C-alpha cells in the first residue's frame, strides 16, 4: 500500500539537535579551519538530506501513476491533501535553502583566521536553525498525515472489484466471508469505528477483490457525514460491480421500503458500474413483504445461510465486470 512505509517525520527540534550534535562530533575529529568547514558541511547535509527524504518518501499527488484516484480521494477524506502538498513543498524549500546557506558560507571559512571562521560558522548555524524552525508546523502536519494514512486497508485498485452494500444484518459480511479465501479479513478506516471487510477469490485464474463497507454504504446519503461521503466517492473509483443486498423479510430490523430507497440511492451514485439487487434469505420467503416484491425487482434471490444461489450470484458479478487482463506484448 502506497502509504504503508512512510517514515516518521522528525520535529524541527529533533532535526536541529541531530544536525548540530553530528556537526560537533565532526568538528572534534579535525582542527582549525578544517573543523569549522566540516561542522558546517555536516549540519547542512543532515538538514538538507533529511528534509528532502521526507518529501521524496511521499507519492506525487499530482500524477495518477503515483496515486490512484481511489487512494487520492480516500486520503483527501482523512487529511487535507492540498495542505499536505503545501507542507511538502515548504519542506523541500527548506531543504534547498539549507544547501544555499552552506554554499554561501563555506567559501568564507577557507581563507580567514579561526575566530572569523568560527563566527561565520555560528551565523550559518543560526540561519539553518531558523529555516528548520520556520517549517515546524509543516513537519508536524506531515507526520500527523503519515500516522493517519499508513493504516488504510490494503486494497488493490487495479484488481477487478465487487463492492457489497446494504443495510446492517442483511447478510453482507456473511456473503463476503462465504465466497472469499480470507475469512474475517478487515481493516478500519480512520473515519469509521467499523472495519472494512476485504476478501479475494479466483475465477479462471484471475484474482478478484470483494469489499464490504459497513459504516459507509449501509445508510442513506443524508445520514453520512462529509468525510464518509467523500470516502464513498473514493469507492466509486474502485467498484467494477455493486451488489446491493436486501432482506425482504425485514428481519434485519429495517423495513423493505427503506432498504429499497437505499438501493436506489446507491444505483444513482454508482450509475457507471453494474448494480445488481440481491434478495437474501430466500429460505425465509414466507416472511417476505409481498406488497413490495414488484418494486424490489431483484436480479437474484439467494440465501447466504443455506448457500442457495450464492455461486450463481458470484458468477453473475464476475460476468458483469467482464474483466480482461492486459496481456504482455508478444513479439
Amino acid at each position: 500500500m502506497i502509504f504503508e512505509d512512510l517514515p516518521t517525520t522528525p520535529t524541527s527540534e529533533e532535526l536541529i539537535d541531530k544536525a548540530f550534535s553530528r556537526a560537533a562530533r565532526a568538528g572534534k575529529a579535525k582542527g582549525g579551519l578544517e573543523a569549522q568547514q566540516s561542522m558546517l558541511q555536516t549540519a547542512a547535509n543532515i538538514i538538507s538530506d533529511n528534509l528532502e527524504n521526507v518529501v521524496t518518501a511521499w507519492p506525487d499527488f499530482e500524477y495518477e501513476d503515483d496515486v490512484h484516484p481511489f487512494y487520492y480521494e480516500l486520503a483527501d477524506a482523512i487529511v487535507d491533501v492540498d495542505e499536505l502538498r503545501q507542507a511538502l513543498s515548504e519542506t523541500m524549500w527548506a531543504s534547498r535553502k539549507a544547501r544555499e546557506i552552506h554554499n554561501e558560507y563555506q567559501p568564507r571559512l577557507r581563507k580567514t583566521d579561526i575566530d572569523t571562521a568560527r563566527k561565520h560558522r555560528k551565523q550559518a548555524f543560526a540561519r539553518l536553525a531558523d529555516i528548520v524552525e520556520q517549517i515546524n508546523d509543516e513537519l508536524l502536519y506531515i507526520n500527523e498525515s503519515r500516522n493517519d494514512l499508513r493504516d488504510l486497508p490494503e486494497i488493490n485498485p487495479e484488481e477487478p472489484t465487487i463492492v457489497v452494500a446494504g443495510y446492517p444484518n442483511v447478510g453482507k459480511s456473511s456473503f463476503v466471508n462465504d465466497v472469499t479465501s480470507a475469512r474475517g479479513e478487515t481493516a478500519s478506516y480512520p473515519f469509521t469505528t467499523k472495519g472494512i471487510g476485504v476478501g479475494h477469490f479466483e475465477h479462471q485464474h484471475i484474482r478478484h477483490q470483494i469489499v464490504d463497507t459497513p459504516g459507509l454504504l449501509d445508510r442513506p446519503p443524508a445520514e453520512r457525514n462529509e468525510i464518509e461521503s467523500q470516502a464513498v466517492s473514493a469507492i466509486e473509483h474502485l467498484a467494477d460491480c455493486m451488489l446491493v443486498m436486501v432482506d425482504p423479510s425485514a428481519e434485519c430490523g429495517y423495513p423493505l421500503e427503506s432498504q429499497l430507497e437505499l438501493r436506489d440511492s446507491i444505483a444513482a451514485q454508482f450509475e457507471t458500474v453494474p448494480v445488481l439487487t440481491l434478495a437474501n434469505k430466500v429460505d425465509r420467503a414466507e416472511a417476505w413483504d409481498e406488497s413490495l416484491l414488484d418494486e424490489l425487482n431483484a436480479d437474484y434471490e439467494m440465501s447466504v445461510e443455506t448457500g442457495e444461489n450464492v455461486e450463481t450470484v458470484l458468477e453473475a458479478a464476475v460476468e458483469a465486470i467482464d474483466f480482461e487482463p492486459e496481456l504482455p506484448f508478444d513479439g
Side-chain angles (χ1 to χ4, degrees):
M1 206 275 290
I2 59 174
F3 303 118
E4 185 177 12
D5 297 323
L6 292 171
T8 301
T9 302
T11 65
S12 59
E13 183 178 359
E14 290 170 342
L15 184 52
I16 291 169
D17 287 347
K18 177 181 178 181
F20 290 171
S21 62
R22 294 270 186 90
R25 289 200 296 270
K28 289 179 180 179
K30 302 181 185 296
L33 294 178
E34 191 177 0
Q36 301 303 311
Q37 294 170 24
S38 179
M39 290 174 71
L40 175 56
Q41 181 170 343
T42 299
N45 283 349
I46 287 176
I47 289 173
S48 181
D49 290 348
N50 275 261
L51 293 179
E52 182 177 355
N53 289 339
V54 166
V55 177
T56 57
W58 284 83
D60 191 333
F61 286 97
E62 290 190 20
Y63 296 99
E64 188 172 317
D65 287 346
D66 271 6
V67 183
H68 188 278
F70 165 71
Y71 273 120
Y72 184 99
E73 291 211 30
L74 204 56
D76 202 30
I78 299 166
V79 303
D80 187 328
V81 168
D82 287 339
E83 183 176 348
L84 175 59
R85 288 171 60 185
Q86 182 63 31
L88 291 170
S89 177
E90 293 291 332
T91 301
M92 184 58 80
W93 166 84
S95 172
R96 292 169 180 155
K97 197 67 179 176
R99 191 69 61 195
E100 290 176 9
I101 292 171
H102 168 268
N103 294 339
E104 176 184 345
Y105 278 87
Q106 195 64 272
R108 303 181 187 182
L109 306 181
R110 293 193 181 117
K111 295 181 180 180
T112 187
D113 60 85
I114 186 64
D115 289 337
T116 303
R118 187 178 291 112
K119 177 182 177 181
H120 285 319
R121 191 265 304 162
K122 288 182 178 179
Q123 288 176 350
F125 271 25
R127 289 182 61 185
L128 287 170
D130 182 62
I131 290 298
V132 177
E133 288 169 353
Q134 284 184 49
I135 61 164
N136 181 60
D137 290 345
E138 285 77 9
L139 294 175
L140 291 174
Y141 189 75
I142 291 169
N143 199 55
E144 290 172 3
S145 299
R146 173 254 187 191
N147 292 338
D148 288 338
L149 295 176
R150 65 176 178 168
D151 292 329
L152 284 177
E154 186 171 353
I155 295 175
N156 184 354
E158 305 304 326
E159 286 186 352
T161 302
I162 300 166
V163 177
V164 184
Y167 269 100
N169 304 319
V170 296
K172 302 190 305 293
S173 298
S174 297
F175 174 77
V176 171
N177 285 337
D178 189 53
V179 302
T180 63
S181 56
R183 296 296 186 267
E185 179 186 341
T186 63
S188 293
Y189 286 89
F191 42 75
T192 176
T193 58
K194 300 178 182 179
I196 301 302
V198 184
H200 305 90
F201 64 91
E202 284 199 1
H203 183 270
Q204 296 182 352
H205 307 293
I206 297 174
R207 193 167 102 141
H208 289 65
Q209 194 167 238
I210 186 164
V211 179
D212 180 20
T213 56
L216 294 176
L217 290 171
D218 61 2
R219 60 185 183 277
E223 296 181 18
R224 300 174 195 146
N225 62 40
E226 183 178 352
I227 294 177
E228 291 168 337
S229 295
Q230 188 161 350
V232 173
S233 295
I235 293 171
E236 286 187 70
H237 295 288
L238 181 72
D240 297 304
C241 178
M242 292 291 303
L243 299 182
V244 182
M245 191 174 296
V246 298
D247 173 11
S249 71
E251 292 177 348
C252 62
Y254 301 91
L256 180 56
E257 185 176 9
S258 297
Q259 296 182 61
L260 296 181
E261 289 175 358
L262 178 63
R263 185 270 311 272
D264 292 342
S265 70
I266 291 172
Q269 182 160 8
F270 290 83
E271 59 183 358
T272 61
V273 299
V275 178
L276 302 180
T277 301
L278 313 178
N280 190 29
K281 304 184 183 180
V282 70
D283 54 308
R284 299 282 296 141
E286 71 278 1
W288 284 14
D289 186 345
E290 296 185 4
S291 64
L292 290 173
L293 289 185
D294 288 340
E295 188 178 344
L296 170 60
N297 193 25
D299 294 287
Y300 294 93
E301 297 178 357
M302 61 183 290
S303 170
V304 177
E305 180 71 24
T306 66
E308 183 176 347
N309 279 343
V310 168
E311 287 301 321
T312 300
V313 166
L314 196 62
E315 289 176 6
V318 170
E319 184 177 345
I321 293 174
D322 194 24
F323 178 77
E324 293 187 9
E326 292 186 8
L327 299 176
F329 179 73
D330 186 14

